Amino acid sequence: MTLNACQRGRRLGFFLLALIILTTVSAPVLAGPRAEVPEAVHDFGEVFEDQELRHTFIIRNTGDAPLVIKDIDPDCACTAADYDRSIPPGGQGNIILTIAPFSVLKQFAKHTEVLVNDPERSKITLTMKGWGKPTIEIQPHHIIRFQGDPGGDHRARIRFISHLNIPWEISGATTNIPQFIEFTLTPEVPGKIYVLEVKNKSREASRYQGKIELSTNAMRRPKLVVRVFGDLYPASSSSP
């Protein structure tokens, strides 16, 4: 009985030793800094194009050495970054990204690369996305092109639609090429929509370019510019 008890004791000892060795070998060793970002993508939803957009991303260090943010590289010059350079083990830091006004329109996605000293994850990509709505919408667009025979009836029509929550007005309009074009500006919906009608008045073969500048009461969009291009030559000839 004593011998069997000794044998059982040895077997138990070997088993415990093997278990300790196995546990020691299989346990993960988190040496060095480890970067974790709970939210790498932020959706602003619908925003106006004249808004400054800002979001704070959280970055955590789950390692056992300081996590260093080496550099931040946005894919757009419109994005500015402010961030914590070093994060202690077990701590967290902030990466604040700001998109300048008038830098987004319709569907957008701005990506920023964060370079860190994590040996297993040296680069993290942060994304800010959403849908940018214009404060003043220009339909169909802000460029007019007159092409063809100078004797033809060349006209264009542009609508300006305000999405502001205050009454909007265009107080004046001027052009730097009055010798080539004439225009009228009419309110379609007072305080909301204006219509600009432009007509070529040159009857001679000509090439010109210029603009129509409109003054508004919108603080962020006090000026609107419509570009006008003319390339008018008879069908039998070609422009130089």
Side-chain angles (χ1 to χ4, degrees), residues 98-161:
T98 304
I99 302 175
F102 297 104
S103 301
V104 300
L105 190 59
K106 297 185 178 180
Q107 187 173 10
F108 69 89
K110 305 291 185 182
H111 306 288
T112 298
E113 290 187 351
V114 181
L115 305 180
V116 297
N117 66 333
D118 183 338
E120 294 188 358
R121 190 186 185 188
S122 61
K123 183 170 68 176
I124 301 167
T125 300
L126 305 177
T127 300
M128 296 184 293
K129 64 180 183 177
W131 183 271
K133 300 187 296 182
T135 51
I136 308 299
E137 186 176 353
I138 303 176
Q139 295 181 347
H141 45 71
H142 70 287
I143 296 177
I144 294 173
R145 296 186 185 276
F146 294 137
Q147 294 177 308
D149 194 306
D153 186 17
H154 301 285
R155 300 171 181 263
R157 189 172 186 266
I158 293 178
R159 298 173 78 237
F160 301 93
I161 304 171

Side-chain angles (χ1 to χ4, degrees), residues 48-98:
F48 281 112
E49 63 174 346
D50 66 339
Q51 290 179 249
E52 181 182 78
L53 304 178
R54 179 175 298 169
H55 183 69
T56 300
F57 291 92
I58 303 298
I59 181 168
R60 295 173 180 159
N61 181 8
T62 59
D64 59 6
L67 176 68
V68 177
I69 298 179
K70 298 179 179 180
D71 193 18
I72 287 189
D73 184 21
D75 67 352
C76 176
C78 62
T79 303
D82 185 19
Y83 56 96
D84 296 314
R85 266 62 176 177
S86 181
I87 303 166
Q92 72 176 33
N94 295 330
I95 300 174
I96 304 172
L97 299 180
T98 304

Side-chain angles (χ1 to χ4, degrees), residues 147-204:
Q147 294 177 308
D149 194 306
D153 186 17
H154 301 285
R155 300 171 181 263
R157 189 172 186 266
I158 293 178
R159 298 173 78 237
F160 301 93
I161 304 171
S162 170
H163 295 283
L164 300 170
N165 56 7
I166 60 171
W168 176 66
E169 295 180 359
I170 296 179
S171 56
T174 60
T175 181
N176 62 344
I177 50 171
Q179 70 274 31
F180 293 113
I181 64 170
E182 58 187 22
F183 65 86
T184 59
L185 183 67
T186 308
E188 182 179 291
V189 178
K192 183 75 174 178
I193 302 174
Y194 283 82
V195 176
L196 176 69
E197 296 191 62
V198 184
K199 179 182 178 181
N200 169 68
K201 70 178 187 180
S202 175
R203 294 300 175 182
E204 298 180 356

